[in-house]
Amino acid sequence: MANLAKFVLWGQERHYWAMGTRKTLLGEEHPDTLAVMANLAMTYRSQGRWKEAEGLYVHVMETRMTQLGKKHPDTLKAMAHLVTCLWRQGKSDEAEKLLVRVMKTRKRVLGNEHPDTLASMTNLAAICWRQERWNEAEQLQFRVMETNQMLLGVEHPDTWTSMIDLALMYESQGRLEMAEDLDKQVLKTQKMYLGASNLDTLSSMASLVSKYYKQGRFEEAQELFEEIEEGMLERADEARMLD
């Protein structure tokens, strides 16, 4: 743990030193300086230093707006990172307004089906969900799921993630049957493409066990739990064989 802390601190000092050097040699608005600022902001985010990260992202965003324009992908990326910093500091209104701008711009520039657009929609759905704006959250997340299914196929991990997110929204409202149906679809596909002992598959099984238990379907929960145990034993055997 101490070694990890030293490594993180070393990385932070390295980014800070690099930022200072580039500011001096290249200026605050040079693309290389902005890139290092963004890296330092990411380090601050990982440490929960949201205010410091916010200040850096604001500078990066404003400079990129001036240099590249409001619609450039790099500008929008900086805005999206800033959204997270604002949200984590409790500035929910500012975060949502900025995220809506990002999403609308990405729709116009990249299209409704672009991965960056879908990422913005997913993040906005999460904000709506945490504010208990269930209908808005579900509509956004359902569109993301449908788009992923159509473009990527039901076997793609991004599709599974969007289905799992929607299932969580249903579950949080007590709509367990709808959540269960999505979980079963994901689990069936993961077993087919990843195998029964894959960690993602086992995680989906555990999620389904929880839903069975909440509905009082204890026998089904126990059966699936035993399947999870078998998968874990299989993983342990595979690990021993590799050793």
Side-chain angles (χ1 to χ4, degrees):
M1 196 70 176
N3 289 336
L4 177 59
K6 287 178 182 178
F7 180 77
V8 171
L9 183 60
W10 173 81
Q12 174 187 320
E13 290 174 347
R14 179 171 170 270
H15 288 314
Y16 192 84
W17 176 85
M19 183 179 71
T21 303
R22 282 168 172 77
K23 276 185 178 181
T24 302
L25 297 177
L26 304 173
E28 290 192 354
E29 299 181 351
H30 192 279
D32 289 352
T33 305
L34 296 176
V36 173
M37 282 185 178
N39 287 337
L40 181 58
M42 189 70 72
T43 301
Y44 286 154
R45 281 179 57 183
S46 68
Q47 297 172 339
R49 297 164 63 180
W50 301 107
K51 186 64 178 175
E52 292 163 282
E54 177 189 346
L56 288 170
Y57 280 133
V58 166
H59 178 78
V60 172
M61 178 190 71
E62 290 177 346
T63 306
R64 284 178 172 164
M65 278 185 179
T66 302
Q67 293 179 345
L68 306 173
K70 295 179 180 180
K71 299 177 181 179
H72 193 280
D74 289 347
T75 305
L76 295 171
K77 185 183 293 184
M79 293 169 71
H81 286 314
L82 180 57
V83 166
T84 304
C85 296
L86 294 171
W87 175 261
R88 293 302 293 264
Q89 294 177 84
K91 302 176 183 179
S92 54
D93 288 342
E94 291 178 64
E96 182 175 349
K97 287 177 184 176
L98 188 58
L99 182 53
V100 168
R101 281 178 59 193
V102 172
M103 183 185 70
K104 287 182 175 179
T105 305
R106 282 175 167 167
K107 280 184 176 182
R108 286 197 304 272
V109 176
L110 304 173
N112 293 334
E113 299 173 350
H114 192 278
D116 290 349
T117 304
L118 296 175
S120 297
M121 292 171 68
T122 297
N123 291 335
L124 184 57
I127 287 178
C128 292
W129 178 42
R130 290 188 180 101
Q131 295 177 337
E132 299 185 2
R133 291 154 53 192
W134 308 121
N135 288 338
E136 293 173 77
E138 283 180 28
Q139 288 173 14
L140 284 163
Q141 191 58 43
F142 190 83
R143 292 212 305 271
V144 172
M145 181 191 72
E146 277 194 325
T147 305
N148 281 333
Q149 287 177 336
M150 180 178 64
L151 295 179
L152 304 175
V154 294
E155 72 278 5
H156 195 280
D158 288 351
T159 303
W160 300 336
T161 299
S162 60
M163 294 172 73
I164 291 167
D165 287 343
L166 184 57
L168 286 170
M169 291 180 183
Y170 289 150
E171 184 178 7
S172 67
Q173 300 171 73
R175 296 156 67 185
L176 295 175
E177 289 183 5
M178 297 179 72
E180 178 188 329
D181 182 60
L182 285 172
D183 276 355
K184 283 181 174 178
Q185 291 180 51
V186 172
L187 178 58
K188 181 180 178 181
T189 313
Q190 287 177 332
K191 279 185 174 181
M192 186 183 306
Y193 286 93
L194 303 178
S197 63
N198 181 274
L199 283 178
D200 288 339
T201 306
L202 294 173
S203 176
S204 294
M205 288 184 193
S207 179
L208 197 52
V209 165
S210 172
K211 290 175 181 62
Y212 286 154
Y213 191 83
K214 287 178 181 178
Q215 296 176 77
R217 294 155 59 184
F218 302 120
E219 288 186 11
E220 291 171 271
Q222 180 61 34
E223 287 177 9
L224 193 53
F225 181 73
E226 289 173 1
E227 195 172 335
I228 293 173
E229 288 184 319
E230 289 176 9
M232 294 301 293
L233 286 172
E234 185 178 332
R235 290 186 62 83
D237 289 342
E238 289 173 354
R240 279 194 292 270
M241 288 175 65
L242 290 174
D243 288 341

